[in-house]
Amino acid sequence: MMKIKTEWTAKEYPHNWEFIGECEEGEKINISVKNGDAIKIAPNPKELLLQGMASCTSVDVVSTLQKMRQPLEELKVECEAEQTTTHPKVFASCNLVYYANGENLNNEKVANAVFLSFTKYCGVSAMIEKSGCYITPKLFINNKEIDIFDPENKISDKLKHWKDEIASHCKNGIAFVTGASRGIGHDLVQQLCEDGYAVIPSSRSKVTFEHKNIFDSLYLDVEKSHSIHYLTNFLKKNSINFNLIVHNAGVFSADETSTNSTVSFTEIQRIFATNVFGLIETNNTFMQLMNPISTIAFVASLMGHDSYDTYTHTAYRMSKRSVIQYAKNLALEFESQNKKISVLSLHPGSVKTDMNPNGKVSVKNSAQQITQLVSSKMLANRMKHNGGFWNYNLTKEAWECLS
């Protein structure tokens, strides 16, 4: 539990907009708001928020580098934020710039420390991001700009070589899979590889695959706008284009008993942040990487289809129904633009995973069935029902388009 207080006492102009901030430990601080032409004596509340973010991430970076025994001599973090124009004015975007100085600093270790803070540990930046602010991190080590995600260009160089020497020889082109660290996504990467794709997996956590046709997993957190846009630009810079994208990243309801009348707004926000908002932003941003004739598949659920209506798992059901509708709308948009891109949403089956321990279908079988659905053999059928929702009929052992 944190507890603070601010105090204001009446004073003569221009000091009548000055406050004192106090916490349970430490010195009191001055807080001041600009009052006419007078010079303010201290940070205003929003500047304090930015200073809090800079301090929070600095603590992470310094602590990590000390554990790595890096000879860090100085760390400066600057924040420059743009606000919205209407009240209540909030941060719309922010540049978060790190300046690390020290002789013999290891670029990769410093970049990793910043990466861990920005993507995992800094609670203040996470709170600001959740308000809708787009934060762009930048890193300078001894006055030289370093890519936080690929500090020595090793990933970029490896990707170029993989594309030229391996992916270019795969008959089905390149496939991209989100949420590939485990479960359906992990096995789907391997099945697509067996079916003739070169595959780029992505996930929030690092995962490795043995087959040469599968590239190292790339970092993607669909809840973070910067992660989405950075990866898009990284792939674009390396001339990567996709014949297939499978949007598999998703989360399940934490409360299995939640209903329309009991589900919390916090739970709805949590589910929709990944399953809907992150999915749509990822897809819309990645569209520039799609080949003219290609396929976009969204892993949805029968729980989001009107053929399986019930009132439990409310947030999850609503999110998957949104995905099904989004696929339909996207297909209609492509049709109006005469684009030959196949779009579908699908139910992967009642798969036995961490999210569904009582599932009836193995992860491997589900991945095999999805690979069959997105194959070239099914293209004509998919285009006939473009934007449709597909379910695998276990009795008939065949895919059926339900809408």
Side-chain angles (χ1 to χ4, degrees):
M1 174 74 72
M2 286 188 182
K3 184 178 180 181
I4 62 94
K5 68 177 180 180
T6 58
E7 183 179 340
W8 176 88
T9 54
K11 296 178 182 178
E12 295 279 333
Y13 174 86
H15 302 293
N16 54 329
W17 280 6
E18 294 174 2
F19 300 79
I20 300 294
E22 184 178 352
C23 53
E24 292 182 301
E25 289 183 293
E27 298 289 332
K28 296 179 180 180
I29 61 170
N30 291 314
I31 305 167
S32 179
V33 178
K34 185 74 173 176
N35 192 354
D37 294 330
I39 297 174
K40 66 184 179 71
I41 65 166
N44 67 34
K46 289 179 182 174
E47 288 170 334
L48 276 177
L49 187 59
L50 292 179
Q51 287 180 339
M53 177 167 64
S55 301
C56 181
T57 188
S58 294
V59 170
D60 294 336
V61 173
V62 170
S63 173
T64 300
L65 291 178
Q66 286 178 344
K67 291 175 183 176
M68 292 179 176
R69 301 186 183 279
Q70 283 295 292
L72 181 68
E73 297 172 7
E74 180 184 55
L75 177 68
K76 298 178 183 177
V77 178
E78 295 181 357
C79 300
E80 184 178 7
E82 293 284 343
Q83 299 184 67
T84 56
T85 56
T86 57
H87 291 285
K89 294 182 179 180
V90 298
F91 295 132
S93 62
C94 175
N95 288 326
L96 185 62
V97 188
Y98 301 77
Y99 296 92
N101 295 310
E103 191 175 351
N104 298 321
L105 284 173
N106 182 294
N107 288 353
E108 289 187 325
K109 290 184 177 180
V110 176
N112 187 48
V114 173
F115 172 83
L116 288 173
S117 175
F118 181 69
T119 62
K120 187 174 183 180
Y121 294 121
C122 182
V124 181
S125 65
M127 284 188 278
I128 293 176
E129 273 193 307
K130 285 185 180 295
S131 73
C133 179
Y134 181 83
I135 302 177
T136 302
K138 291 185 178 181
L139 170 63
F140 291 84
I141 301 177
N142 295 323
N143 298 318
K144 179 182 178 182
E145 185 169 5
I146 301 296
D147 189 321
I148 294 170
F149 299 89
D150 189 17
E152 300 290 348
N153 290 318
K154 291 180 180 179
I155 301 174
S156 184
D157 292 342
K158 186 174 182 179
L159 182 60
K160 289 175 182 176
H161 179 269
W162 178 83
K163 174 181 175 287
D164 293 338
E165 300 299 323
I166 296 174
S168 61
H169 301 292
C170 292
K171 64 178 182 179
N172 288 331
I174 301 176
F176 182 82
V177 180
T178 69
S181 62
R182 58 180 180 165
I184 298 170
H186 185 274
D187 277 40
L188 183 58
V189 167
Q190 298 178 90
Q191 291 298 325
L192 290 172
C193 173
E194 290 184 16
D195 196 49
Y197 282 97
V199 187
I200 298 178
S202 68
S203 60
R204 288 183 295 186
S205 56
K206 190 72 175 176
V207 59
T208 56
F209 296 86
E210 294 182 0
H211 202 288
K212 63 182 177 64
N213 289 10
I214 303 174
F215 194 70
D216 299 340
S217 68
L218 299 178
Y219 174 78
L220 176 64
D221 185 343
V222 300
E223 289 190 39
K224 293 181 178 289
S225 291
H226 178 267
S227 171
I228 296 168
H229 289 272
Y230 174 86
L231 183 55
T232 304
N233 291 332
F234 174 79
L235 294 168
K236 187 176 181 180
K237 179 182 73 174
N238 287 288
S239 302
I240 298 295
N241 294 103
F242 300 127
N243 283 7
L244 169 66
I245 288 183
V246 180
H247 293 279
N248 173 68
V251 294
F252 194 55
S253 296
D255 183 3
E256 296 183 6
T257 63
S258 68
T259 65
N260 291 317
S261 57
T262 63
V263 65
S264 68
F265 184 66
T266 300
E267 177 71 353
I268 294 173
Q269 276 189 316
R270 184 185 74 85
I271 297 291
F272 269 65
T274 298
N275 293 4
V276 182
F277 305 143
L279 175 147
I280 291 174
E281 184 174 9
T282 300
N283 187 72
N284 288 352
T285 308
F286 272 55
M287 276 305 306
Q288 60 188 289
L289 304 175
M290 299 302 295
N291 283 320
I293 299 177
S294 52
T295 297
I296 301 173
F298 301 97
V299 177
S301 172
L302 202 58
M303 294 175 73
H305 192 260
D306 56 16
S307 65
Y308 186 54
D309 273 342
T310 185
Y311 55 84
T312 59
H313 298 92
T314 296
Y316 181 77
R317 288 180 185 278
M318 289 192 299
S319 74
K320 291 304 183 182
R321 183 159 294 195
S322 297
V323 172
I324 293 170
Q325 187 62 52
Y326 175 69
K328 290 181 180 179
N329 292 356
L330 189 62
L332 289 171
E333 180 180 349
F334 288 161
E335 183 181 352
S336 71
Q337 298 168 347
N338 294 317
K339 290 183 177 179
K340 304 300 182 183
I341 299 179
S342 167
V343 182
L344 66 146
S345 58
L346 64 96
H347 174 58
S350 179
V351 184
K352 188 173 183 178
T353 63
D354 293 342
M355 293 195 300
N356 183 25
N358 298 318
K360 300 177 181 178
V361 181
S362 72
V363 170
K364 183 176 181 179
N365 284 345
S366 177
Q368 289 173 336
Q369 292 159 6
I370 295 172
T371 300
Q372 176 193 356
L373 177 61
V374 299
S375 69
S376 58
K377 295 178 182 178
M378 291 281 290
L379 178 60
N381 203 7
R382 292 200 311 272
M383 291 301 293
K384 181 180 177 181
H385 304 283
N386 206 18
F389 173 71
W390 294 78
N391 177 54
Y392 190 80
N393 188 314
L394 288 173
T395 303
K396 297 180 180 178
E397 296 186 346
W399 284 98
E400 297 177 334
C401 184
L402 301 185
S403 61

